[in-house]
Amino acid sequence: GKSIFFKGLFFVAETNKFVDHDVILRSNDNDYNLPKSDIKTNQPAFDKEFDLYIPDASKSTLPSQVDQSLLENLLDFKHFIHNDLFISLIGNKIYIGITHEKDLFEPHLFTSNQSFDYMNLHFQDIYFPINVIQHLVDNTQLEPVKVS
């Protein structure tokens, strides 16, 4: 039978900048059987919720593009959406995956779509990856996760 490896939103961006070396950041509470790594950031709260994997065993630090501001925003966003989050920086490409069990782009036919919380969740699902990509490419300041 057909098996699903990932269900959710998946973004891919190609840039004209290359990361120092490849890196994969992912929520550590998933069942995807991906390699584990002992590499830690200097943020215990982040390390508790995310696994960091660097395929090149000779590298043991984050690429310069992955700064403390980005790590804090990833953690805030994961707490906001309560779903697994994956980010890979490979060469000049950025991959962002946000797991969801719901069909996000299917309208609710028998309930209202006018809930601010419901609309805000959809907005953040689209806006957050764009904000992260812009930060990584242009070194712009990341904006806060929550919209009030």
Side-chain angles (χ1 to χ4, degrees):
K2 188 168 118 177
S3 64
I4 297 173
F5 182 73
F6 178 82
K7 185 175 180 182
L9 295 174
F10 193 74
F11 296 80
V12 178
E14 187 171 346
T15 74
N16 60 359
K17 295 183 178 183
F18 286 79
V19 291
D20 302 333
H21 52 277
D22 299 346
V23 64
I24 300 168
L25 298 163
R26 65 176 184 268
S27 301
N28 63 11
D29 52 357
N30 62 64
D31 297 323
Y32 293 109
N33 296 323
L34 297 172
K36 296 256 182 213
S37 172
D38 293 330
I39 299 170
K40 301 293 181 197
T41 66
N42 289 325
Q43 294 190 9
F46 183 87
D47 294 337
K48 182 179 177 186
E49 302 225 15
F50 284 88
D51 285 331
L52 168 64
Y53 177 69
I54 298 175
D56 183 350
S58 69
K59 306 289 185 190
S60 62
T61 59
L62 288 170
S64 60
Q65 296 88 341
V66 180
D67 58 17
Q68 297 302 314
S69 174
L70 177 62
L71 299 179
E72 290 169 9
N73 269 277
L74 291 175
L75 188 58
D76 289 346
F77 185 67
K78 183 177 183 293
H79 290 159
F80 177 73
I81 62 168
H82 302 290
N83 292 345
D84 288 340
L85 181 63
F86 302 82
I87 295 185
S88 298
L89 307 173
I90 300 175
N92 69 332
K93 292 189 178 176
I94 303 166
Y95 302 89
I96 300 176
I98 303 169
T99 62
H100 277 285
E101 292 299 319
K102 297 179 182 177
D103 293 325
L104 295 176
F105 298 106
E106 296 293 327
H108 290 216
L109 298 178
F110 301 107
T111 60
S112 173
N113 288 320
Q114 295 180 359
S115 162
F116 175 78
D117 292 338
Y118 176 78
M119 296 306 291
N120 187 35
L121 179 62
H122 286 286
F123 173 78
Q124 290 296 336
D125 283 336
I126 302 297
Y127 182 71
F128 181 77
I130 293 169
N131 193 19
V132 168
I133 291 165
Q134 186 174 10
H135 172 75
L136 291 169
V137 172
D138 299 331
N139 264 350
T140 58
Q141 184 66 31
L142 278 166
E143 296 181 26
V145 170
K146 295 182 181 175
V147 176
S148 48

